């Protein structure tokens, strides 16, 4: 089986070489790059892993994992073994991270006894002809310490999950799950929700006024009154100021112009890309990573398939020398005045593993305009912000000039400012990532002591202090990164798991814990405060890094944790009181199969109706949310999900006889007083949440705080309106 060092370092293209990657899309792209003599197959992720049906960790034997062939993957594994037997060389090309290293390790073990081929490991950061061919020229060995780090994480998570989950089954309800990282993320979301609920808003007012020079009118805000910062608690206080100053002379008391140097931002890491995509494009973390995967694995561009970005799971901002040379060459041709004398290097964070370079386009010359005809709308938008962020990171600084003007009107000091770009610098390539704050308004030319005209137009506005914001995809990812919880590959899955298990819901892009999520969080935090906390989770990540570096033996790490943890699990099983059935609610609905009352229960995907005759009767139904508004239909509106992505919508129980559909969730027993159709809650940036009638021919709108009216009153109002 052994091959010479010479054959290991350089593989002749005349021989048969099997390359195994993780995904079919990647296999298609790479096979085209390598040409004759190479067969590229996909393992479809892990082929060998822990079974789902049992713990599969031998606690008595140094916590050795008991691996099996993943169910449904035996046929694929046999095919790969046959392919390996026919090959002279096998190159394991799974992703260059811990999971990828573990996949390669398992494949090596599964193939080595079935073939005489030389089995080697290759890694690359981008799927381009140069990168792939260079990787093939320099095959290496599997990094055992990296495999051990993955093994330690997998075993630790299995021990935590398979000990905590049964406690939840016994104390709350069957089918629940808990995890080392997901439970900490849930705790953060629940704690933030408590802060939101406890916050008491306070009223305050602001005052703006119009001023004029010649034909130019502009608005300034009250900054000081009688030399003090104004504390305007009521409309009366604002009106008193207006009365005092409305006839006062308006004079410019100060004009300042300050220049500011704005430096370009570093290229994207995984978390920064997810945050930018959430804030700029409205993408969820899951959607961002799915699209990034497509761009990385390859897009068909004419006759060629091209990997457009580098590996999308990274915590590093490092840029390879090849990429620096290429982007500087492009900038030198397109924007020569914005090319710095030397490349710009960005500091890598202290906790970064730095296994990969930053997320960047594989070719700077592939501008968004160049590739737009080959990409979907969402692919193009994500690619655009990656391209803009990377290319701009190697351009000169921009400069802004901010003019601040202070205007005295009696005892009131008003202030206004406007910014403009003096030197465009890196903003030359920024479009989709541009911020409204970069350039703000225009002011006429003003001088100190200049007297202005007052239009006597005052704009008092009521506000309420804002409490802490609920987490969004962007802010929870930022918090997880800052606290050292998880790694680039886990941010999106953490959010997805919480949503999929109905511990958290997403409402207007905000993450809110459900009743079930709050209950689980309370039990776990009270019972396991040393495990379900951010410090423990961050310490585990740091320890796993040390395992990967070869500084810690993985079994010892698990042993130190498991003894006290298992003891606490046994104590909790006997001491914590069960709350099973606590969330069940009786209803006036009757089972149409056996006639017994239906009970409202909370399941994995939210509330549903179940027959109280269970287990004799298994009848279940969706919760009716409203009466169907279609004339002559006696159906009810229930939540449904589309095939494939499982996007929720709301339809009639009489489908297909009734085809009524709404993409907005009906508000609980709230109906329109004008037409009788049900109300839904909507959102816009200017007005926040508000209620609207679902009837497209009805213009009813109302404050979100209004409780609405019930169905019977709605019918009365609708009849009166019709008369």
């Amino acid at each position: 089986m052994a091959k010479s060092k010479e054959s290991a370092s350089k593989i002749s293209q005349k021989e048969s070489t099997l390359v195994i990657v993780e995904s079919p899309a990647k296999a298609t792209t790479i096979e085209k790059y390598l040409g004759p003599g190479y067969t590229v197959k996909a393992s479809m992720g892990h082929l060998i892993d822990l079974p789902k049906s049992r713990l599969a960790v031998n606690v008595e034997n140094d916590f050795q994992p008991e691996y099996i062939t993943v169910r449904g993957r035996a046929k694929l594994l046999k095919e790969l073994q046959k392919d390996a037997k026919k090959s002279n060389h096998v190159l394991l090309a799974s992703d260059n991270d811990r999971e990828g290293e573990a996949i390669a390790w398992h494949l090596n073990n599964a193939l080595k006894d079935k073939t005489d081929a030389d089995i080697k490991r290759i890694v690359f950061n981008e799927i381009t002809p140069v990168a792939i061919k260079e990787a093939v020229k320099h095959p290496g060995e599997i990094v055992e310490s990296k495999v051990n780090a993955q093994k330690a994480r997998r075993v630790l998570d299995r021990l935590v999950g398979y000990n905590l989950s049964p406690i939840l089954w016994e104390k709350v309800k069957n089918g629940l799950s808990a995890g080392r990282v997901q439970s900490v993320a849930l705790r953060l979301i629940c704690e933030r929700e408590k802060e939101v609920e406890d916050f008491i808003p306070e009223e305050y007012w602001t005052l703006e006024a119009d001023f004029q020079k010649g034909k130019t009118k502009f608005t300034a805000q009250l900054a000081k009154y009688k030399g003090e910062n104004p504390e305007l608690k009521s409309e009366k206080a604002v009106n008193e100021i207006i009365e005092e100053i409305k006839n006062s002379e308006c004079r410019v008391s100060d004009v300042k112009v300050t220049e500011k140097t704005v430096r370009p931002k570093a290229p994207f890491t995984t978390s920064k890309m997810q945050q930018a995509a959430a804030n700029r494009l409205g993408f969820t973390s899951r959607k961002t990573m799915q699209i990034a995967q497509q761009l990385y694995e390859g897009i068909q561009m004419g006759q060629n398939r091209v990997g457009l970005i580098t590996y999308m799971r990274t915590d590093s901002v490092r840029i390879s020398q090849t990429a620096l040379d290429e982007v500087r060459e492009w900038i030198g041709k397109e924007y020569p005045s914005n090319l710095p004398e030397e490349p710009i290097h960005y500091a890598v964070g202290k906790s970064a593993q730095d296994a990969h370079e930053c997320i960047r386009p594989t070719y700077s010359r592939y501008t968004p305009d160049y590739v737009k005809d080959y990409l979907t709308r969402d692919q193009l938008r994500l690619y655009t912000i990656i391209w803009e962020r990377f290319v701009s990171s190697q351009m000169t600084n921009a400069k802004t000039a901010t003019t601040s003007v202070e205007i005295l009107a009696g005892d009131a000091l008003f202030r206004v400012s406007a910014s403009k770009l003096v030197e465009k610098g890196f903003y030359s390539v920024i479009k989709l990532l541009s911020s409204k704050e970069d350039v703000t308004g225009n002011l006429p030319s003003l001088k100190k002591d200049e007297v202005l005209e007052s239009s006597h137009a005052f704009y008092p506005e009521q506000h309420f202090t804002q409490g802490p914001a609920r987490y969004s995809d962007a802010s929870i990812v930022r918090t997880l990164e800052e606290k050292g919880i998880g790694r680039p590959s886990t941010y999106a899955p953490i959010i997805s798991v919480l949503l999929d298990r109905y511990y958290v819901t997403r409402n207007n892009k905000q993450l809110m814990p459900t009743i079930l999520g709050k209950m689980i969080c309370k039990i776990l935090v009270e019972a396991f405060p040393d495990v379900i906390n951010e410090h423990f989770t961050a310490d585990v990540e740091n320890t796993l890094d040390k395992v990967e570096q070869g500084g810690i033996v993985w079994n010892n790490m698990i042993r130190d944790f498991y003894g006290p943890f298992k003891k606490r699990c046994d104590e909790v099983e006997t001491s914590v009181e069960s709350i099973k059935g606590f969330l069940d609610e009786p209803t006036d609905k009757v089972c149409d199969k056996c006639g017994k009352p239906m009970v409202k229960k909370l399941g994995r995907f939210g509330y549903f109706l179940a027959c109280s005759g269970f287990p004799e009767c298994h009848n279940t139904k969706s919760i009716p949310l409203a009466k169907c508004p279609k004339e002559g239909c006696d159906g009810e509106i229930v939540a449904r999900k589309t095939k494939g992505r499982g996007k929720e919508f709301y339809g009639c129980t009489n489908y297909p006889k009734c085809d009524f559909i709404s993409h907005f969730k009906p508000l609980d027993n709230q109906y329109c007083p004008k037409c009788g159709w049900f109300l839904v809650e909507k959102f816009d940036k200017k007005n926040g949440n508000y209620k609207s009638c679902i009837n497209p021919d009805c213009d009813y709108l109302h404050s979100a705080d209004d409780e609405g009216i019930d169905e019977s009153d709605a019918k009365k109002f609708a009849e009166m309106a019709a008369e």
Side-chain angles (χ1 to χ4, degrees):
M1 285 176 61
K3 302 286 181 182
S4 68
K5 290 183 179 180
E6 185 179 348
S7 64
S9 62
K10 190 172 182 180
I11 297 169
S12 169
Q13 290 192 16
K14 293 180 181 179
E15 297 180 315
S16 172
T17 301
L18 172 66
V19 181
I20 303 177
V21 297
E22 289 187 39
S23 75
K26 195 187 297 184
T28 303
T29 305
I30 292 174
E31 191 163 71
K32 286 185 178 180
Y33 291 164
L34 291 176
Y38 289 89
T39 302
V40 185
K41 294 291 182 73
S43 71
M44 307 293 289
H46 284 276
L47 288 176
I48 297 167
D49 200 358
L50 297 177
K52 292 181 179 180
S53 58
R54 56 192 175 87
L55 181 64
V57 175
N58 193 332
V59 176
E60 305 301 326
N61 183 26
D62 268 346
F63 302 95
Q64 291 297 329
E66 300 169 7
Y67 294 117
I68 64 164
T69 302
V70 175
R71 181 178 294 179
R73 298 292 181 87
K75 183 179 178 182
L76 176 56
L77 181 58
K78 285 183 179 179
E79 287 175 0
L80 292 176
Q81 288 172 335
K82 285 181 182 178
D83 291 332
K85 195 171 185 178
K86 294 184 288 185
S87 304
N88 301 104
H89 305 278
V90 176
L91 298 178
L92 305 175
S94 46
D95 291 344
N96 186 19
D97 54 22
R98 290 173 188 164
E99 291 299 318
E101 206 72 15
I103 289 171
W105 185 77
H106 285 301
L107 281 170
N108 179 63
N109 291 340
L111 299 178
K112 64 184 180 182
D113 293 331
K114 304 291 184 180
T115 179
D116 291 331
D118 181 36
I119 304 175
K120 291 291 180 180
R121 173 85 166 111
I122 62 169
V123 295
F124 41 82
N125 189 50
E126 59 189 58
I127 302 178
T128 61
V130 172
I132 299 302
K133 289 173 182 176
E134 192 64 23
V136 168
K137 287 179 185 177
H138 302 95
E141 303 295 335
I142 292 169
V143 182
E144 288 286 340
S145 60
K146 210 170 185 177
V147 176
N148 287 338
Q150 189 274 348
K151 190 184 296 182
R153 184 201 62 77
R154 192 80 177 90
V155 168
L156 180 63
D157 287 349
R158 178 56 65 102
L159 292 172
V160 171
Y162 275 54
N163 279 284
L164 292 187
S165 295
I167 294 174
L168 295 180
W169 303 342
E170 185 180 333
K171 306 300 181 183
V172 185
K173 67 185 299 295
N174 293 335
L176 300 179
S177 69
R180 177 180 62 86
V181 180
Q182 80 182 49
S183 298
V184 177
L186 176 61
R187 178 178 181 174
L188 291 174
I189 293 170
C190 288
E191 288 175 347
R192 178 60 59 86
E193 188 68 19
K194 181 72 165 57
E195 292 174 14
V196 171
E197 292 170 352
D198 291 347
F199 180 79
I200 301 174
E202 294 182 5
E203 180 184 11
Y204 73 97
W205 288 71
T206 57
L207 176 61
E208 292 183 335
D210 281 347
F211 300 93
Q212 193 165 338
K213 179 181 177 180
K215 294 183 179 180
T216 305
K217 187 184 290 186
F218 59 94
T219 304
Q221 184 167 345
L222 179 68
K224 289 186 179 294
Y225 184 65
K226 294 184 178 179
E228 302 288 336
N229 292 328
E231 291 190 13
L232 307 176
K233 300 292 186 182
S234 66
E235 187 176 12
K236 180 183 175 184
V238 180
N239 288 334
E240 287 174 356
I241 293 177
I242 293 173
E243 281 299 314
E244 287 206 19
I245 67 173
K246 66 181 181 181
N247 296 317
S248 301
E249 178 187 73
C250 303
R251 179 173 51 83
V252 176
S253 61
D254 193 18
V255 178
K256 288 181 181 175
V257 179
T258 55
E259 285 198 351
K260 179 184 175 184
T261 298
V262 185
R263 292 181 172 82
K265 294 181 179 178
F268 281 138
T269 58
T270 302
S271 68
K272 291 295 187 289
M273 177 182 68
Q274 290 178 3
Q275 291 169 48
N279 292 328
R280 299 288 179 178
L281 311 178
F283 288 0
T284 64
S285 294
R286 175 190 280 178
K287 180 175 181 177
T288 299
M289 296 308 289
Q290 286 174 340
I291 296 172
Q293 185 90 29
Q294 296 163 9
L295 296 173
Y296 166 67
E297 292 183 344
I299 300 294
Q300 195 68 38
M301 295 174 61
Q303 298 297 314
N304 300 317
R305 191 173 181 87
V306 181
L308 287 179
I309 65 169
T310 52
Y311 192 57
M312 62 284 156
R313 296 185 182 94
T314 178
D315 53 11
S316 175
V317 292
R318 177 173 52 82
I319 305 171
S320 70
Q321 188 59 49
T322 303
L324 281 173
D325 293 341
E326 198 257 348
V327 70
R328 284 177 60 79
E329 180 184 352
W330 186 87
I331 296 169
K333 289 179 181 177
E334 302 295 330
Y335 298 95
S337 61
N338 298 132
L339 179 67
E341 291 184 7
E342 298 293 333
I344 303 173
H345 297 280
Y346 294 89
V348 177
K350 291 181 181 178
S351 61
Q353 292 179 302
D354 201 28
H356 303 280
E357 56 176 307
C358 65
I359 302 171
R360 60 169 176 80
T362 50
Y363 303 105
S364 299
R365 66 180 183 275
Y366 284 178
T367 65
D369 281 342
Y370 182 87
V371 301
K372 66 182 180 182
D373 292 338
Y374 307 105
L375 303 180
T376 65
R377 179 174 180 267
D378 286 341
Q379 286 174 340
L380 178 60
R381 294 167 77 203
L382 184 63
Y383 179 77
T384 298
I385 65 172
I386 293 170
W387 185 92
E388 288 182 2
R389 187 69 170 256
F390 172 68
V391 175
S392 66
S393 76
Q394 292 303 312
M395 297 177 74
T396 54
N397 298 335
K399 283 187 180 178
T400 62
T402 301
T403 302
S404 297
V405 179
E406 293 184 348
I407 303 161
L408 273 174
D411 289 329
L413 177 72
F414 289 83
R415 187 175 292 147
V416 62
S417 62
S419 298
K420 63 179 181 179
L421 277 174
V422 179
E423 293 181 15
K424 223 173 174 186
F426 68 90
Y427 281 116
S428 300
V429 296
I430 296 288
K431 291 179 182 177
L432 197 53
L433 278 175
S434 64
S435 171
K436 292 178 181 178
E437 299 172 0
D438 298 336
V439 179
T440 55
N442 288 308
L443 288 172
S445 178
L446 299 171
K447 295 180 181 178
K448 188 177 180 182
D449 296 326
E450 185 174 356
V451 176
L452 302 174
E453 298 175 47
S454 172
S455 65
H456 302 289
F458 294 95
Y459 308 104
E461 188 173 353
Q462 183 187 38
H463 306 271
F464 291 91
T465 51
Q466 297 294 309
R470 291 185 175 93
Y471 284 113
S472 62
D473 277 53
S475 59
I476 192 67
V477 167
R478 182 173 64 250
T479 301
L480 293 173
E481 181 185 35
E482 289 172 351
K483 294 181 178 294
I485 300 169
R487 282 293 181 258
S489 60
T490 63
Y491 299 140
I494 288 169
I495 300 170
S496 296
V497 164
L498 294 177
L499 289 166
D500 292 344
R501 289 175 180 165
Y502 197 65
Y503 297 169
V504 169
T505 59
R506 189 187 278 116
N507 185 15
N508 292 329
K509 300 184 180 179
Q510 297 176 323
L511 299 172
M512 300 172 60
T514 62
I515 296 174
L516 180 62
K518 289 178 180 178
M519 290 176 63
I520 289 171
C521 181
K522 185 175 186 294
I523 290 173
L524 292 179
V525 170
E526 288 180 357
F528 300 94
D530 295 335
V531 176
I532 311 302
N533 75 70
E534 60 194 62
H535 303 295
F536 170 76
T537 308
D539 287 345
V540 167
E541 298 297 345
N542 292 331
T543 306
L544 290 174
D545 290 345
K546 292 176 182 176
V547 172
E548 182 172 336
Q549 294 156 11
I552 292 179
V553 178
W554 76 269
N555 316 67
N556 295 343
M557 166 193 171
I558 304 297
R559 189 178 297 105
D560 292 342
F561 162 79
Y562 185 68
F565 172 70
K566 186 64 172 71
K567 181 181 177 184
R568 181 58 184 155
C569 287
D570 295 339
E571 292 170 355
V572 170
E573 281 191 13
T574 57
S575 63
V576 173
E577 189 177 343
S578 172
I579 55 172
K580 262 195 169 182
F582 177 77
L583 294 175
D584 294 354
E585 295 178 30
T587 72
D588 57 0
K589 305 286 183 185
V590 176
C591 177
D592 55 7
K593 290 189 176 180
C594 71
K596 290 186 177 179
M598 300 289 278
V599 179
K600 183 179 177 182
K601 288 180 172 286
L602 184 59
R604 181 178 174 186
F605 301 108
Y607 285 102
F608 67 99
L609 291 176
C611 182
S612 58
F614 182 85
E616 289 77 17
C617 179
H618 286 74
N619 190 22
T620 60
K621 288 186 174 183
S622 298
I623 296 281
L625 302 170
K627 297 289 183 183
C628 181
K630 275 209 166 183
E631 191 174 348
C633 181
D634 61 354
E636 294 176 308
I637 303 302
V638 295
R640 300 185 183 278
K641 289 198 173 184
T642 58
K643 292 181 179 179
R645 290 170 57 192
K647 193 171 183 180
E648 194 166 64
F649 68 97
Y650 305 91
C652 181
T653 51
N654 285 339
Y655 178 84
K657 184 179 176 182
C658 176
D659 61 358
F660 178 85
I661 284 179
S662 168
H663 292 289
F664 294 96
K665 184 178 182 179
L667 288 166
D668 186 29
N669 198 36
Q670 294 187 36
Y671 295 81
C672 177
K674 293 181 73 173
C675 70
W677 287 38
F678 62 80
L679 298 180
V680 298
E681 190 168 27
K682 295 184 179 180
F683 172 82
D684 66 41
K685 290 183 178 178
K686 183 178 180 182
N687 300 307
N689 291 350
Y690 66 95
K691 292 179 182 177
S692 170
C693 180
I694 197 63
N695 186 349
D697 299 321
C698 179
D699 59 359
Y700 178 81
L701 298 175
H702 212 287
S703 163
D705 297 327
D706 180 62
E707 289 299 323
I709 57 176
D710 65 21
E711 183 187 0
S712 59
D713 284 339
K715 288 178 178 176
K716 290 177 187 176
F717 280 120
E719 288 168 4
M720 290 168 61
E723 292 173 2

